[in-house]
Amino acid sequence: MSYLRMEDLDLAGKRVLIREDLNVPVHAGKVTSDARIRAALPTIALALEKGAAVMILSHLGRPVEGEYDPQYSLQPVADCMGEWLGQEVRLQKNWLGGVELRPGEVVLCENVRFNPGEGKNDETLARSMAALCDVFVMDAFGTAHRAQASTVGVTRFAPKACAGPLLSRELDALAKGLDRPVRPMLAIVGGSKVSTKLSVLNTLMDKVDELIVGGGIANTFIAAAGYGVGKSLYEPDLIHDAQLLIQKAHERGGSIPIPRDVVVARTFSNEAQAVVRNVDEVAGDEMILDIGPLTAMHYSKIIAGAGTIIWNGPVGVFEFHNFAAGTRAVAEAIDRSHAYSIAGGGDTLAAIDQFGVSDGIGYISTGGGAFLEFVEGKVLPAVAALEAAAR
Ligand code: 3PG
Ligand code: MG
């Protein structure tokens, strides 16, 4: 990959516009997990050290374009970032017309997705963003799979465009794990729906030796194996695709294991009574909310035998303590494993934090969807735009 890198540029006295992915969970006006903010800090600190005036762009959530909605304001992010940086991070509500700032100062521009045209990569919008700066720095790995005005369009029109250190570090680390992986290679993919991850599951099955599915995805595979799933979240329309994937795994000499036992409950809540059942004994009014202890042991063994592990998504509703044991077992097995492990995705990062296993993971990516698309071998549009700008 050849693109300019921020580390190599002279930024003294320059107006530098940095696109970060500061899409973090916010509750009651406070950031509840600041991992993505912390990951962006070295980039911002380096730009300041190089003498730049720093403007930051990010989205938060998926607001309706063209409407300001305080629920999606970046103010909590500005507050949190200011504390970490030890200097004021000023949130600017209207910034498209221009931002006044001096070298050494940091301004966070309000949610890019409030601007009409952001999602469709509108040219006029991208040009206005580009006009703000001397140098545009794309550093939002987590949003690099979106072809939007602030991730792709602006790169085309900025006087100079480069990759930030976080983005390039992510790309390098993931390439290292995927180029010549140590076998056997295992992917663990959780999440609610097969439909949103069907293409990634398909491509992954061409690359990996073993695939463990979790969450709602696993329920569809359990149904595909012929078992009842009661009231569980699953997708009847995708059963056939799940069967094809199981067949594909077998043809390649691998497998997609089906849980032997599961933890069920009658209601989706933290207080719900948890019952362990064999996979063929789930009642019509029950929901599968975690893997059972036998399955957790089985998966831990598969993990222990792997040479490379890709992890995206929990295997149960780990936010509820009664249904956290499966994801904890998976996290701890990856922690103990000597395999090169790479993990990504919001829920996965939250699970890694919750179970305190970050030291045992080879590389933790800030990306969710972007991480999976990279693993699939897709070209990330924002990276393609940087390469085009460098040519
Ligand atoms: C993410 O959280 O995965 C990224 O910030 C991208 O967000 P999006 O899926 O709303 O584009
Ligand atoms: Mg480990």
Side-chain angles (χ1 to χ4, degrees):
M1 274 170 277
S2 58
Y3 40 73
L4 295 180
R5 293 181 184 236
M6 188 185 102
E7 297 90 313
D8 302 329
L9 300 184
D10 173 17
L11 302 180
K14 301 264 166 66
R15 297 172 60 84
V16 175
L17 181 67
I18 308 180
R19 175 59 158 103
E20 293 290 355
D21 186 338
L22 306 174
N23 185 26
V24 293
V26 171
H27 186 73
K30 287 258 180 281
V31 172
T32 54
S33 166
D34 62 1
R36 278 179 165 169
I37 299 174
R38 280 184 282 123
L41 292 173
T43 303
I44 295 154
L46 178 63
L48 290 171
E49 220 177 276
K50 281 171 168 271
V54 176
M55 296 164 281
I56 305 171
L57 297 181
S58 177
H59 70 286
L60 183 85
R62 294 176 180 172
V64 179
E65 269 188 18
E67 282 174 35
Y68 172 79
D69 181 346
Q71 194 192 325
Y72 296 106
S73 168
L74 283 170
Q75 186 64 56
V77 173
D79 297 342
C80 175
M81 184 175 264
E83 272 172 40
W84 276 110
L85 276 178
Q87 77 175 73
E88 193 198 2
V89 172
R90 174 160 57 88
L91 181 79
Q92 187 155 327
K93 195 170 169 188
N94 299 307
W95 47 271
L96 269 176
V99 177
E100 257 179 55
L101 85 169
R102 286 192 301 265
E105 292 181 346
V106 182
V107 168
L108 177 60
C109 302
E110 185 58 285
N111 198 335
V112 280
R113 290 189 179 169
F114 289 157
N115 300 300
E118 165 65 10
K120 290 216 160 74
N121 191 12
D122 178 72
E123 182 173 328
T124 313
L125 179 62
R127 281 185 188 275
S128 323
M129 289 175 184
L132 297 171
C133 69
D134 303 308
V135 179
F136 172 69
V137 180
M138 175 58 189
D139 201 36
F141 175 76
T143 327
H145 60 317
R146 303 278 181 236
Q148 301 181 340
S150 70
T151 57
V152 166
V154 58
T155 301
R156 213 171 122 207
F157 305 114
K160 198 167 248 180
C162 65
L166 174 61
L167 176 72
S168 46
R169 195 165 57 90
E170 295 248 15
L171 295 170
D172 293 346
L174 295 179
K176 179 186 158 218
L178 297 169
D179 277 354
R180 258 175 286 126
V182 179
R183 301 272 164 187
M185 189 177 191
L186 164 70
I188 303 164
V189 181
S192 52
K193 289 184 177 161
V194 175
S195 49
T196 55
K197 290 191 179 167
L198 187 60
S199 107
V200 74
L201 292 172
N202 251 313
T203 348
L204 272 178
M205 214 47 255
D206 292 327
K207 297 180 197 284
V208 303
D209 304 293
E210 212 85 36
L211 175 64
I212 290 176
V213 288
I217 296 181
N219 298 339
T220 301
F221 279 82
I222 291 173
Y227 303 111
V229 294
K231 280 194 303 173
S232 306
L233 173 71
Y234 85 116
E235 292 168 289
D237 295 351
L238 273 295
I239 286 181
H240 182 61
D241 292 278
Q243 283 163 341
L244 291 177
L245 278 164
I246 294 171
Q247 197 185 326
K248 185 169 172 182
H250 284 151
E251 280 161 11
R252 292 194 74 246
S255 74
I256 304 178
I258 302 295
R260 296 166 185 183
D261 56 349
V262 290
V263 185
V264 302
R266 287 214 164 78
T267 54
F268 186 83
S269 98
N270 204 8
E271 276 66 48
Q273 198 198 342
V275 181
V276 176
R277 293 222 188 284
N278 281 332
V279 71
D280 58 357
E281 288 172 346
V282 177
D285 62 347
E286 290 174 338
M287 272 176 278
I288 301 171
L289 298 182
D290 195 10
I291 54 172
L294 285 176
T295 306
M297 252 164 54
H298 179 210
Y299 288 1
S300 299
K301 261 194 209 140
I302 297 176
I303 291 166
T308 306
I309 302 167
I310 298 162
W311 181 25
N312 172 268
V315 295
V317 188
F318 71 97
E319 303 90 322
F320 297 164
H321 57 84
N322 280 338
F323 309 99
T327 303
R328 173 188 285 279
V330 164
E332 289 179 349
I334 298 174
D335 187 20
R336 284 193 302 273
S337 147
H338 298 298
Y340 182 66
S341 51
I342 45 188
D347 288 340
T348 313
L349 299 204
I352 288 169
D353 266 354
Q354 184 167 322
F355 303 124
V357 296
S358 60
D359 290 346
I361 313 250
Y363 185 74
I364 300 175
S365 171
T366 54
F371 167 80
L372 284 177
E373 291 199 13
F374 187 91
V375 169
E376 270 187 88
K378 286 193 185 159
V379 177
L380 304 177
V383 178
L386 286 173
E387 290 177 331
R391 279 197 292 272

